[in-house]
Amino acid sequence: MKNMLLFVLLSGLLSSAAISSNLAPPCHRLMTKKECIVHRALLATMQPGVALDRYLSDYASTKKEREIACRR
């Protein structure tokens, strides 16, 4: 739930225009298009460090939660 809130808040702050689709990494198959846009924008703008590490950890947790939920 916390991760979903993070995605919703960030999606309101970021624009899809900030994304270069040719250079952007692929998104997880269980992400919505909007979440993917936000994810790519964040990866393009975040500097290496604690904030990026925390974001990637939250992203991995969200992926795992969704994979588990889809198995049920």
Side-chain angles (χ1 to χ4, degrees):
M1 185 66 171
K2 175 181 83 174
N3 294 329
M4 191 59 161
L5 179 61
L6 174 67
F7 279 118
V8 171
L9 290 173
L10 291 174
S11 68
L13 299 174
L14 298 173
S15 167
S16 63
I19 296 170
S20 171
S21 61
N22 293 340
L23 301 175
C27 291
H28 191 268
R29 62 186 170 79
L30 296 176
M31 290 178 78
T32 66
K33 185 174 183 174
K34 193 169 193 175
E35 288 172 337
C36 184
I37 289 168
V38 171
H39 174 68
R40 288 178 175 177
L42 283 171
L43 291 180
T45 59
M46 292 183 83
Q47 299 296 317
V50 175
L52 178 60
D53 293 344
R54 184 172 183 174
Y55 172 75
L56 292 174
S57 176
D58 288 345
Y59 175 72
S61 177
T62 298
K63 287 191 317 185
K64 187 173 184 176
E65 288 173 12
R66 291 180 185 185
E67 288 169 349
I68 291 169
C70 286
R71 282 189 231 146
R72 295 180 186 178

